[in-house]
Amino acid sequence: MKARSRFCALMALMLGSSAVQAQISDNVVKIGVLSDMSAGQSDSTGPGSVVAARMAVEDFGGKVLDQPIEVVSADHQNKPDVGSNIVRQWLERQQVDVVADVPTSSVALAVQTLTRERDRIFLNSSAGSSDLSGPACSPTAIHWTYDTYSLANGTAGPLVSQGADTWYFITADYAFGHALERDTSQAVTRNGGKVSGTVRHPMGMADFSSPLLQAQASQAKVIALADPVGDTATAAKQAGEFGIQVQGQKLVGLLIDVVDLRAIGLPIAQGMLLTTSFYWDRDDETRAFAKRFFDRHKRMPTQFQAGVYSSIMHYLKAVQAAGTDEAKAVVAKMREMPVNDFFARNGRLREDGRMVHDMYLMQVKSPAESKGEWDLLKLVQTIPGERAFRPLDAGGCPLVAKDRKD
């Protein structure tokens, strides 16, 4: 009788284990990091995002529900058709379960459509268009790190209140630039300012002399760069050569990070205000992560790379808790669980896909204030998540119930 009981218990254990393993598709959890590996955003995302993804997998233990975790990566070249072809092959032939990173909003919008159609998860860390959690929202897409609304809201409001109330935009002519210009223009006018004009340019432009001269001639108090990170660095360096800030106009990089600031240099960038979701020297936890990342990559992490790590770690915790890698079950678990790590405190995931967390208004240090090549920013203000991000009912996401307003 005892032998039979032991046999039954053993069979139950084996069946239970098989049931759990059967919930992991193809007996592996595969993460695809799609990024800009070779062009203007590669220093801020790219290979460093792959490093961050691998760190998250290693820190999790390399397995989830006793099944291995793999990371694959590819270069989308900032082209929606290239990115779509890669992701289509990943989903259809390589059984990739989740796509991560994806700078360039036009690429991200295409990837979001594919992952929605094929019921796979998209962990967007680097694309910024607020439309990704607005009209284009998806039940399996997560907008993790920042968006154009939070950048606009964090930077424009304080500047307009300080008297910088006329703005001229130099805008990258694609989805991200359009969204950033739109959201910032709305923030400027909402706070009592005025938009004097806009000039648009192709992404990756090397010579900004013409748009800078047009912006300078507008006599607007603020020249706002509604650009991806690489273009912002190029434009800011050339603005320094034109002496734009010396002559009294403020130059605002609406999306800029430590890699760009290091390239621009503090003599040009000093005093600039910017909004970010992460800075490596904010506290002991960010410094600890940054040191480990630097040991591998020889650069401090950007907000995008930190977001890749944080989003993948939260995803893996949700797979473990859900007992499956099925997309909708995992996303549901991700929404249940608060985000508490070096990246975010008490972050929460809304039904529109937006992960709500604090943002930080920072100011670029002067050369005299800086104590090292990566000591670039100082905190001006912490912006609570509920104020930093667009209200849930204001984004036009069709997944949001009409009576929800939080």
Side-chain angles (χ1 to χ4, degrees):
M1 193 69 178
K2 289 182 179 179
R4 182 174 179 178
S5 297
R6 284 197 297 270
F7 174 79
C8 291
L10 179 60
M11 287 300 294
L13 180 62
M14 291 175 64
L15 288 171
S17 176
S18 297
V20 169
Q21 291 187 15
Q23 296 302 307
I24 298 297
S25 55
D26 304 295
N27 298 319
V28 61
V29 171
K30 191 173 289 188
I31 300 166
V33 179
L34 184 67
S35 198
D36 174 0
M37 300 293 184
S38 56
Q41 301 180 83
S42 58
D43 288 341
S44 299
T45 60
S49 292
V50 179
V51 169
R54 296 192 186 282
M55 287 176 64
V57 170
E58 291 169 16
D59 289 350
F60 195 79
K63 290 185 176 183
V64 59
L65 298 174
D66 295 324
Q67 301 302 306
I69 307 164
E70 295 181 11
V71 175
V72 298
S73 62
D75 184 357
H76 62 41
Q77 301 173 40
N78 296 306
K79 298 175 181 178
D81 58 337
V82 173
S84 295
N85 288 334
I86 291 168
V87 171
R88 192 174 290 109
Q89 291 183 29
W90 276 356
L91 303 184
E92 294 176 357
R93 300 179 187 177
Q94 299 183 42
Q95 289 74 52
V96 166
D97 299 291
V98 57
V99 179
D101 196 27
V102 195
T104 309
S105 291
S106 53
V107 181
L109 287 161
V111 169
Q112 188 149 301
T113 297
L114 284 170
T115 52
R116 179 176 60 240
E117 291 172 351
R118 289 158 176 78
D119 197 31
R120 305 291 173 85
I121 291 176
F122 176 26
L123 298 176
N124 168 22
S125 178
S126 297
S129 172
S130 59
D131 290 349
L132 287 155
S133 54
C137 68
S138 162
T140 59
I142 312 301
H143 207 169
W144 196 263
T145 304
Y146 77 108
D147 61 25
T148 51
Y149 184 97
S150 63
L151 298 181
N153 200 39
T155 305
L159 278 172
V160 172
S161 69
Q162 294 170 16
D165 55 3
T166 53
W167 288 56
Y168 191 95
F169 288 89
I170 297 176
T171 301
D173 193 10
Y174 77 110
F176 170 77
H178 297 172
L180 187 52
E181 178 192 316
R182 177 198 67 207
D183 290 347
T184 308
S185 296
Q186 291 173 355
V188 168
T189 56
R190 190 167 56 243
N191 285 278
K194 178 184 177 182
V195 175
S196 300
T198 297
V199 59
R200 291 182 173 174
H201 63 86
M203 182 179 176
M205 192 166 74
D207 183 3
F208 279 82
S209 56
S210 177
L212 285 169
L213 285 171
Q214 291 179 62
Q216 196 171 28
S218 75
Q219 299 185 342
K221 294 177 183 177
V222 176
I223 299 174
L225 304 176
D227 289 319
V229 286
D231 284 357
T232 295
T234 302
K237 283 188 282 188
Q238 292 177 18
E241 295 167 6
F242 277 66
I244 283 177
Q245 294 202 89
V246 173
Q247 295 173 41
Q249 289 174 298
K250 289 182 180 293
L251 186 71
V252 172
L254 291 169
L255 179 63
I256 195 165
D257 60 48
V258 291
V259 174
D260 283 327
L261 289 172
R262 180 167 167 263
I264 295 167
L266 295 184
I268 293 174
Q270 62 181 311
M272 185 183 293
L273 288 174
L274 60 98
T275 301
T276 186
S277 61
F278 170 86
Y279 178 52
W280 73 268
D281 198 24
R282 192 181 75 234
D283 58 33
D284 289 344
E285 286 189 83
T286 58
R287 284 187 285 272
F289 171 76
K291 181 181 184 305
R292 294 198 301 126
F293 183 90
F294 186 89
D295 289 344
R296 293 191 180 209
H297 196 54
K298 306 309 176 189
R299 294 178 181 181
M300 288 300 178
T302 64
Q303 62 174 326
F304 319 112
Q305 293 157 347
V308 167
Y309 178 102
S310 177
S311 62
I312 288 176
M313 183 63 77
H314 194 69
Y315 163 77
L316 293 173
K317 290 177 181 177
V319 171
Q320 183 74 44
T324 178
D325 63 354
E326 192 278 320
K328 290 187 174 63
V330 173
V331 171
K333 190 60 68 174
M334 291 178 76
R335 289 197 184 111
E336 289 178 16
M337 301 162 55
V339 182
N340 280 302
D341 58 13
F342 70 87
F343 181 83
R345 304 285 186 273
N346 296 312
R348 60 186 180 89
L349 182 60
R350 301 190 313 204
E351 55 261 52
D352 60 353
R354 175 71 263 161
M355 201 276 274
V356 177
H357 54 82
D358 292 349
M359 296 287 288
Y360 304 95
L361 181 64
M362 311 287 284
Q363 186 172 43
V364 181
K365 290 184 174 182
S366 69
E369 292 174 306
S370 175
K371 298 177 182 177
E373 66 172 327
W374 293 100
D375 181 23
L376 303 171
L377 298 173
K378 56 186 177 183
L379 179 65
V380 175
Q381 180 183 352
T382 298
I383 308 168
E386 59 271 18
R387 187 157 59 85
F389 291 99
R390 182 176 55 202
L392 181 62
D393 65 341
C397 171
L399 302 174
V400 176
K402 298 299 184 184
D403 59 346
R404 287 295 305 278
K405 295 184 180 181
D406 57 311

